[in-house]
Amino acid sequence: MIAALLIPLLMPFAAPTLVRWAAPRLRPAAAMWALTATACVLAGCWLAALGGLILAGALTVSAVARLGHLIRPLNVAPAVVAYPATALAVGALSVCACAVIRSALCQLRQYRTAHAQLRGAPSAGDLSVLDRPEVDAYALPGNPGRIVVTSGMLRTLDGPEREALLAHERAHLAGRHHYFLAAADLASRCHPALSGLRDAIGLAVERVADEAAATAVGDRNLTARAIGRAALAGNAGRTARPSFAAGAAGGPVPQRVKALLQPAAAPHRPAIAAAGLLLACSAVTGAGAAAGLVSLHHNVEIAQGEVQDD
C-alpha cells in the first residue's frame, strides 16, 4: 500500500523537467488546459496520498484502531517505517493547509481591495479607469467582470495600442482565465515543486490572450508592440490586485513578444507527444493514488474482520 502511494508522492518532483519539455511544444490553449489539469491531478493525488499515509499510521495505534472498530491494529508496514512516514505526512499536510489557507485569504483580501478601488472610478461599459500614475492594466473577475486600466497606462500607449491592450484583457474575461490562474496558485501551495507548473500556466494564459488580441485587431506586430511597451513602462509599479487577475504585462514578456512576431504555429507531432506525456503523467499519478487508497481500504476491512486475508 505504501509502495503505491510513493508514486503520487514523488511524481510532483518530476514536474519541472516535464513542463520544460512539454509546454513549449503545445499551442497556447492546449498548454493552458493540459498544464492546469496536470497541476490539479498532481496536487490532488499528493494530498490524497498524504491523507492515506496519516490514516494508515493512525490505525496502527491500538487506541485509534479501537475507535475505528478494528479487531486488531492495522499492519501495513513495520513500525520503524510507518511511524516516521506518518509523522512526515502530518507535517507536510499541515504545511500545505497553512500555505493554501494563507494564500486564499490573501487573494480574497486583495480581490476586495481591487473592487473597492473601482468605487467612484470613471467607467464605460466593461472598462474602469483608475486615476493613478502606475502603469497597469488587468482583468478583474466579478459579476460583471471589469477591465481595469490606470491613467498612467493610457498615457503610455497610443490609440491602436490601447485597442490591442483592451482586446487582450477582454480575452482574459471571456476565457475565465482567473480560474486557471487560481488553480495553478493553489496547486503550487500544496507542493513547492509545482511552482514551475504555475509559471507555465501563467505564460500559457497570457499567450492565449495575446493570440485572441492579435486576431481581434488583425495585427500581430501591433499587439506585440503594445505588450512590450506596457511591460517596459509597468516596471515602475503595479496596483494592488490578486494574482489571478491577469494583466497584459504578466509572464515572460520577451517570450510572448517573440511568439507574436512569428506566424501562428500549426499543430505538429511534438505537440501530440507533449500532450500524451502530460496525460500519461496524470494517469500514472492517479492510478498510484487510487491503488494505494484501495489497498488501504482493503486492509482496513481485513482488520475489521469483514473480509478474510488472502
Side-chain angles (χ1 to χ4, degrees), residues 33-85:
W33 282 98
L35 293 173
T36 304
T38 301
C40 291
V41 169
L42 291 179
C45 291
W46 158 262
L47 295 176
L50 290 179
L53 287 177
I54 293 172
L55 179 60
L59 292 178
T60 61
V61 180
S62 299
V64 179
R66 285 195 296 270
L67 291 176
H69 305 290
L70 272 63
I71 296 176
R72 62 180 184 274
L74 205 62
N75 183 22
V76 294
V80 69
V81 174
Y83 292 158

Side-chain angles (χ1 to χ4, degrees), residues 29-293:
M32 180 178 69
W33 282 98
L35 293 173
T36 304
T38 301
C40 291
V41 169
L42 291 179
C45 291
W46 158 262
L47 295 176
L50 290 179
L53 287 177
I54 293 172
L55 179 60
L59 292 178
T60 61
V61 180
S62 299
V64 179
R66 285 195 296 270
L67 291 176
H69 305 290
L70 272 63
I71 296 176
R72 62 180 184 274
L74 205 62
N75 183 22
V76 294
V80 69
V81 174
Y83 292 158
T86 303
L88 289 174
V90 170
L93 192 60
S94 299
V95 170
C96 290
C98 291
V100 169
I101 293 173
R102 186 184 304 114
S103 177
L105 292 176
C106 179
Q107 296 296 322
L108 178 60
R109 183 169 59 253
Q110 292 178 343
Y111 178 74
R112 290 176 174 173
T113 300
H115 270 286
Q117 292 174 347
L118 300 183
R119 295 170 187 165
S123 300
D126 60 355
L127 176 65
S128 294
V129 179
L130 293 178
D131 186 14
R132 297 192 176 184
E134 294 93 344
V135 179
D136 199 10
Y138 55 93
L140 184 64
N143 189 20
R146 309 293 303 171
I147 297 172
V148 183
V149 182
T150 63
S151 55
M153 177 67 82
L154 295 178
R155 288 191 295 268
T156 298
L157 306 180
D158 59 27
E161 290 169 347
R162 293 175 190 168
E163 182 182 352
L165 178 78
L166 295 180
H168 176 98
E169 300 305 337
R170 288 194 174 97
H172 282 314
L173 286 180
R176 299 182 181 275
H177 292 166
H178 53 282
Y179 289 124
F180 296 91
L181 296 175
D185 181 73
L186 292 178
S188 69
R189 305 295 176 181
C190 293
H191 199 294
L194 297 180
S195 59
L197 265 172
R198 177 190 59 196
D199 296 339
I201 292 169
L203 173 59
V205 164
E206 295 302 333
R207 288 282 296 114
V208 170
D210 290 345
E211 293 295 332
T215 300
V217 300
D219 191 334
R220 298 180 68 84
N221 290 337
L222 170 63
T223 306
R225 187 170 69 249
I227 290 170
R229 291 188 63 184
L232 289 174
N235 289 334
R238 199 191 83 167
T239 55
R241 56 181 168 90
S243 61
F244 57 78
V253 174
Q255 188 173 341
R256 294 170 53 199
V257 170
K258 180 181 178 181
L260 281 170
L261 294 178
Q262 299 172 348
H268 51 291
R269 288 184 179 179
I272 299 175
L277 182 60
L278 291 173
L279 177 62
C281 173
S282 299
V284 169
T285 304
L293 294 178

